[in-house]
Amino acid sequence: MLLSWAGTSVAGDGHQHDHDHDRARQALEAGEVLPLRTIIERVERDYPGQIVEVELDREHGRWEYEIKLLQRGGSLLKLKVDAREGTVLGVRGRKGGGQAERSRRGGADD
């Protein structure tokens, strides 16, 4: 299933990891989130680079994908994406030299 990439990063013995996958699968089946493939296609279209990490979390009463993307030149972007609508809520990043960059859409809280 596409959500096999999604889940919260959790240290531990793996049981929490299994639970995260179950929660993600249930959210997809209930129509609460878009498939990860749909989200990735949108992100790659608007933010070129290599996706290095994806998490699915419930934040502020809604499901959000957090996507870390490595761009050409060494910039690392962290995107917050509304998992139901697919809209980018915010973008944070570091340029290759370590300079911070931030942009928000839709009033998302960090």
Side-chain angles (χ1 to χ4, degrees):
M1 177 156 273
L2 293 175
L3 285 172
S4 63
W5 291 11
T8 4
S9 295
V10 178
D13 61 7
H15 293 291
Q16 180 67 39
H17 182 72
D18 292 339
H19 177 70
D20 292 339
H21 287 284
D22 290 340
R23 282 186 11 193
R25 187 177 5 267
Q26 289 170 356
L28 178 64
E29 290 171 355
E32 296 176 357
V33 300
L34 290 171
L36 182 56
R37 168 130 349 259
T38 301
I39 299 296
I40 287 174
E41 287 171 356
R42 291 179 186 184
V43 166
E44 288 178 333
R45 182 184 62 224
D46 296 334
Y47 299 90
Q50 180 180 356
I51 293 174
V52 294
E53 185 178 349
V54 177
E55 295 180 15
L56 177 64
D57 297 308
R58 188 133 177 110
E59 297 283 335
H60 314 291
R62 69 175 166 224
W63 288 103
E64 294 179 358
Y65 284 107
E66 180 181 287
I67 300 172
K68 291 182 183 174
L69 180 80
L70 184 61
Q71 293 190 305
R72 190 176 217 170
S75 297
L76 182 66
L77 292 182
K78 185 196 283 187
L79 302 157
K80 290 269 189 175
V81 180
D82 182 293
R84 173 173 262 176
E85 304 296 326
T87 55
V88 175
L89 301 170
V91 179
R92 291 189 337 185
R94 295 222 177 259
K95 295 183 178 181
Q99 182 180 356
E101 212 178 314
R102 180 179 290 189
S103 165
R104 286 193 198 174
R105 295 181 187 169
D109 293 329
D110 289 304

